[in-house]
Amino acid sequence: MSFVKLENVGKTYGSISVLKDLNLRVDKHEVVCLIGPSGCGKSTMLRCINGLESIQAGSIFVGDLEVSSPIVDINAVRRRVGMVFQHFNLFPHMTAIENVMVAQLRVLGRDKRAARDMAFELLSRVGLSKKIDKYPEALSGGEQQRVAIARTLAMSPQALLLDEITSALDPELVGEVLEIVRELANEGMTMLLATHEMSFAREVATRVCFVAEGGIYEEGPAEKILSNPDRPKTQAFLRRLVESHRL
């Protein structure tokens, strides 16, 4: 059964059409990777699913909630599907543990003790138990991104949207963040990822979607799409990656 569903979605910015008649379904426990050149609409798609951007045509569903409905409870949507961004968006005046606690207190209404216990458990899980009282400026980029992942998991989402979560990191920090995502995939977390990490997509994705022309241009099993795609734009994109030693 599809947990995330996009039906004939259209998204424009002024006269520019970013998403056109886009259709996509993500089943529970699936890990779907979105690939494609910068500006093809991957991030916009994720932001529309999370209700951060409105659409001009079609429908988006998360479970039985229609995200695109004008009367949807957007907080209910975001309790079901969490989002981790390219730039960590941590509150600079809060420590790591406070960053993981804040939405629990304000959105879920957890009491402070329960929120702190949950935050400590999750920060320990991502390897930051000794840095819970550090402010973001005292953490590396990889550590900040791991705090952001813990903050999202604290909301107990049923699915995760991950938007190029390693692209702002130094190369040596990428692995520590991808390891957390790998663990979540192995545990059966439903995930939709926009990524340029092709080797990682090959490893964890149940399905890879190449985004072009405002929609899903080609999709299929990771090995098929990344090794032997059928359509010319997918082939050209992957050829450029090989030539630049990124695949």
Side-chain angles (χ1 to χ4, degrees):
M1 179 181 177
S2 298
F3 185 70
V4 176
K5 183 166 57 177
L6 293 83
E7 297 180 333
N8 308 115
V9 168
K11 169 67 181 175
T12 59
Y13 293 108
S15 61
I16 300 172
S17 185
V18 181
L19 303 177
K20 293 176 283 188
D21 200 29
L22 183 148
N23 291 278
L24 176 67
R25 296 191 176 203
V26 180
D27 293 339
K28 286 186 176 180
H29 313 302
E30 248 196 316
V31 179
V32 176
C33 285
L34 305 173
I35 66 170
S38 297
C40 69
K42 303 186 299 295
S43 295
T44 298
M45 192 189 314
L46 297 181
R47 292 175 66 85
C48 289
I49 294 169
N50 201 42
L52 291 168
E53 299 275 1
S54 59
I55 59 175
Q56 283 71 51
S59 302
I60 298 174
F61 293 88
V62 171
D64 58 356
L65 295 175
E66 185 179 353
V67 181
S68 48
S69 168
I71 61 171
V72 72
D73 179 353
I74 202 63
N75 284 330
V77 172
R78 291 172 185 164
R79 283 193 291 269
R80 294 190 183 190
V81 58
M83 187 160 179
V84 183
F85 299 87
Q86 174 181 347
H87 298 288
F88 327 118
N89 295 346
L90 299 180
F91 293 111
H93 62 290
M94 292 183 180
T95 63
I97 198 164
E98 289 169 342
N99 266 283
V100 181
M101 290 173 63
V102 62
Q104 298 183 66
L105 297 171
R106 296 181 182 177
V107 178
L108 300 183
R110 285 184 181 142
D111 66 67
K112 192 170 183 178
R113 176 65 180 271
R116 186 176 179 85
D117 288 347
M118 172 69 81
F120 181 78
E121 177 184 334
L122 289 169
L123 287 170
S124 297
R125 176 178 180 176
V126 299
L128 295 174
S129 61
K130 295 182 179 179
K131 299 196 175 183
I132 63 171
D133 294 321
K134 298 289 187 183
Y135 288 91
E137 65 180 11
L139 300 173
S140 70
E143 288 168 342
Q144 290 185 61
Q145 192 60 288
R146 283 186 279 158
V147 172
I149 292 171
R151 177 182 60 187
T152 301
L153 293 176
M155 304 299 286
S156 302
Q158 296 170 268
L160 290 179
L161 308 173
L162 307 172
D163 185 16
E164 302 283 9
I165 62 170
T166 60
S167 62
L169 301 178
D170 292 332
E172 64 270 20
L173 302 176
V174 169
E176 66 187 49
V177 172
L178 292 184
E179 180 58 32
I180 303 301
V181 180
R182 187 179 291 111
E183 290 175 8
L184 291 168
N186 290 338
E187 293 169 5
M189 175 65 79
T190 305
M191 289 189 280
L192 182 58
L193 304 82
T195 185
H196 287 296
E197 300 289 340
M198 298 301 145
S199 60
F200 184 70
R202 188 190 300 271
E203 177 188 349
V204 304
T206 51
R207 185 158 42 105
V208 169
C209 299
F210 179 70
V211 182
E213 299 179 359
I216 306 301
Y217 178 81
E218 184 171 4
E219 66 179 300
E223 189 61 34
K224 164 65 177 172
I225 297 299
L226 296 175
S227 298
N228 189 30
D230 294 324
R231 303 195 67 187
K233 287 189 178 181
T234 318
Q235 294 167 354
F237 173 74
L238 294 173
R239 190 180 309 117
R240 288 193 295 272
L241 292 182
V242 170
E243 291 169 353
S244 61
H245 307 290
R246 292 171 59 193
L247 180 64

